[in-house]
Amino acid sequence: MNIAVSIFLAAGLVFALAGTVGLLRMPDVFCRLQSSTNLATLGVLGVIVAAVIYTAFGLRDWAMTVKLIVLGLFYLITNPIASHALAKGAYARGARPFTGIDHLQDDLISEEPSENEEESHAG
Amino acid sequence: MKKLSFPAFLFTFLLLLLFWMLLTGQIADIFRGGFSWQILAAGILVCGAAALFCGRFFAHEELRLLLQPKRLGALLVYCLAVFPWELIRFNVDMAVRAFSPGLPKKSGIVKIPTALTSEYALSMLANSITLTPGTLTVDIVTEDGKNYFYIHWIDVASDDPEEAAQAIKGRLEKWIGRIWS
């Protein structure tokens, strides 16, 4: 059991480290959000799975086990909504992908009545 | 604003109460002795108030579809096998990206079509896409009755909407379609 707990903890920590490194290295706000997803999914889930194994087979504390599982579920449900809200908010504030590949921007322009109405055809 | 139907209220209320019982440890206490009526009463009050507010958003008619065993089975397979596998695959990919010396040069927002129409299916696919590292839903729009996602993709492999859709959604959309359509 200790081996399984250690493996899951280590895996979780590796992904948490990858998420943190990515968060610091990535070039723009969207890429940084992507990296933080890494941290938030397998980084946290690995630790939670390790904790579930420990409480279920080590401590034999079922109330705590159930709480941990519910915690993991809530985490999975709320995290994408927060990421999405952050991305949308950043976009509304004027953040753009640094590469310029941006279909959303293209479509926003094509919806406004302007002289390049003919060439930008959303599809 | 949508009207709150009684089944929607009841469903939300019972689900919230279940979570309340789990979080306060009451279900374990039933077997151990030490069950507290006060905690249950407080839970009923709080969950009732919460269900009054959010039942109309949370439970729709489509939820009845889940009563069919085939759809429920598809949901279980999706949650326990299909999605975790995609999650691990993209997580490893993203971790490699974070440690590799070159930074992503071709990230951007792409627009992809989706065949799904029901609200549950759309929000499920959008959340699944956001949860897999490397793709992030920025917006959902409806044009001419068809739904499109705007997705920030860490490595835009293709500018063609169909190919991009295939690479991003992969098997996820097929399974979600099996659950909800």
Side-chain angles (χ1 to χ4, degrees), chain A residues 15 17-18 21-22 25-26 30-31 33-35 37-38 41-42 45 63 66-67 70 74 76 79-81 83-84 87-88 91 97-99 101-104 107 122-123, chain B residues 19 22-23 28 87-88 91-92 94-95 97-101 103-111 127 130-131 133-139 150 152-154 156 159 161:
Chain A
F15 282 110
L17 180 68
V21 169
R25 286 186 67 215
M26 289 297 170
F30 298 107
C31 296
L33 271 175
Q34 304 273 24
S35 249
T37 316
N38 207 329
T41 51
L42 278 200
L45 281 187
V66 170
K67 269 182 208 173
V70 172
F74 277 143
L76 279 182
N79 171 61
I81 297 165
S83 292
H84 163 70
K88 206 171 174 180
Y91 200 93
F98 73 108
T99 49
I101 304 172
D102 190 350
H103 294 186
L104 183 52
D107 289 355
Chain B
F19 274 118
L22 286 175
L23 284 175
L87 193 64
I88 291 169
N91 255 293
V92 171
M94 192 66 201
R97 238 178 252 284
F99 287 129
S100 64
L103 287 172
K105 292 189 181 62
K106 273 205 76 177
S107 69
I109 296 177
V110 294
K111 180 184 190 181
N127 282 348
T130 309
L131 256 183
T135 48
L136 171 65
T137 315
V138 180
D139 212 349
Y150 286 103
H152 181 266
W153 197 3
I154 196 86
V156 179
D159 265 342

Side-chain angles (χ1 to χ4, degrees), chain B residues 136-153:
Chain B
L136 171 65
T137 315
V138 180
D139 212 349
I140 303 179
V141 293
T142 309
E143 286 172 8
D144 309 328
K146 220 168 156 359
N147 296 297
Y148 294 90
F149 288 123
Y150 286 103
I151 296 202
H152 181 266
W153 197 3

Side-chain angles (χ1 to χ4, degrees), chain B residues 30-70:
Chain B
I30 292 174
F31 300 108
R32 278 198 304 236
F35 177 76
S36 157
W37 288 104
Q38 286 174 359
I39 295 179
L40 182 65
I44 288 173
L45 272 180
V46 173
C47 295
L52 267 183
F53 280 115
C54 39
R56 71 194 79 195
F57 307 114
F58 187 69
H60 300 178
E61 282 292 308
E62 295 160 29
L63 217 53
R64 287 173 204 264
L65 288 176
L66 282 186
L67 291 177
Q68 302 169 15
K70 216 174 74 185

